[in-house]
Amino acid sequence: MNEMKIAVLGGEGVGKSALIVRFLTRRFIGEYASSSECVYRKCLSVDGRQVHLELYDPCSQACEGKSALKSQIHWADGFILVYDISDHSSFLAVKAIVHLIRELHHGSAKRNVVSPIFLVGNKQDLCHMREVQREEGQRLAAEFHCQFYELSVAEHYQEVALIFSKMVQQASLGSKAKERRRRPSGSKSMVKLINNVFGKRRKSV
Ligand SMILES: Nc1nc2c(ncn2[C@@H]2O[C@H](COP(=O)(O)OP(=O)(O)OP(=O)(O)O)[C@@H](O)[C@H]2O)c(=O)[nH]1
């Protein structure tokens, strides 16, 4: 079975966990308990073959700092970078992450492998509070050869599922030749995911 490692990165509270949980459970859960980073695992059938998917969800509060980010970047085969369209600082955060990914890969053994990066503007349902224009996201995506999506994890399941299946397809193109890299600590089963969803720390929309 092929293995694939996808890191879902972005600023605090942009909806990274919501995106992953939406993909794994089809449900949008408005409140989470997530006090630590984790790796979710899922087996997927893509183009007739089984893929063992690992999804890394950092905890922004626990994993701040460039060195943590660098190890996440070295670990992953592909990246889903999430920002909140109603928060311009979250866009600047993903911009910095894109730069860092391309910079690190340029100077590493991965320089011949273009790891896919998907740029996702989340919380489209908050467009009345929009601070990041769609064109701004598209421009950044074009500059760094990323795929661009704008959506609302709260409202759109099909788009979320599409993002992950496209990511798996793209990442699998380059993954065969890749060296396996150190992975961030921590892993979560579906049971822990469910506990997280109904856990202690509560967030509201
Ligand atoms: N309105 C709206 N709220 C959303 C959407 N997606 C996520 N949220 C809310 O945004 C808040 C943060 O979501 P999380 O998924 O915890 O964000 P995160 O990026 O994992 O947060 P950290 O791990 O703390 O960095 C929660 O209150 C979610 O309910 C969306 O599409 N629309």
Side-chain angles (χ1 to χ4, degrees):
M1 188 187 296
N2 296 317
E3 274 184 21
M4 191 160 303
K5 300 173 191 303
I6 307 298
V8 180
L9 305 176
E12 189 175 344
V14 294
K16 300 181 295 296
S17 305
L19 181 81
I20 294 174
V21 171
R22 186 65 139 150
F23 171 60
L24 295 175
T25 69
R26 292 177 170 249
R27 297 176 60 206
F28 174 69
I29 315 286
E31 297 175 354
Y32 298 89
S34 53
S35 53
S36 61
E37 60 179 346
C38 51
V39 176
Y40 298 106
R41 298 191 169 87
K42 183 178 173 71
C43 283
L44 271 188
S45 178
V46 178
D47 298 335
R49 68 195 171 84
Q50 288 292 306
V51 175
H52 179 81
L53 191 60
E54 295 192 0
L55 299 173
Y56 176 65
D57 180 9
C59 172
S60 305
Q61 289 164 355
C63 305
E64 281 172 5
K66 210 167 172 180
S67 66
L69 190 56
K70 280 183 179 175
S71 77
Q72 293 154 17
I73 290 171
H74 284 300
W75 172 82
D77 298 311
F79 303 90
I80 298 178
L81 305 187
V82 187
Y83 65 92
D84 172 352
I85 66 151
S86 68
D87 174 7
H88 198 266
S89 67
S90 72
F91 182 71
L92 297 179
V94 293
K95 205 170 182 173
I97 297 172
V98 179
H99 275 99
L100 189 60
I101 293 170
R102 292 302 191 220
E103 186 187 309
L104 288 176
H105 284 182
H106 189 68
S108 79
K110 282 190 172 182
R111 62 183 167 275
N112 294 325
V113 179
V114 180
S115 298
I117 304 176
F118 288 8
L119 193 61
V120 177
N122 185 31
K123 309 197 187 181
Q124 203 183 39
D125 55 298
L126 302 182
C127 59
H128 52 287
M129 296 159 63
R130 182 187 282 277
E131 289 184 2
V132 186
Q133 295 308 314
R134 190 183 174 90
E135 296 71 30
E136 206 175 342
Q138 286 171 326
R139 267 200 305 277
L140 180 65
E143 185 184 349
F144 287 91
H145 309 289
C146 311
Q147 285 204 22
F148 175 77
Y149 299 88
E150 217 184 66
L151 53 67
S152 164
V153 171
E155 294 181 344
H156 307 137
Y157 168 71
Q158 292 302 336
E159 286 83 346
V160 171
L162 182 76
I163 285 173
F164 281 94
S165 67
K166 288 213 165 192
M167 171 54 75
V168 169
Q169 281 170 341
Q170 283 211 8
S172 66
L173 294 176
S175 65
K176 286 182 193 143
K178 282 182 188 174
E179 60 177 330
R180 297 269 51 102
R181 287 171 182 270
R182 189 161 57 92
R183 112 183 142 208
S185 60
S187 81
K188 276 207 168 64
S189 63
M190 280 299 283
V191 173
K192 285 191 176 170
L193 166 63
I194 300 301
N195 286 341
N196 238 9
V197 166
F198 297 106
K200 301 159 214 127
R201 188 161 72 86
R202 296 173 78 79
K203 296 180 183 177
S204 56
V205 184

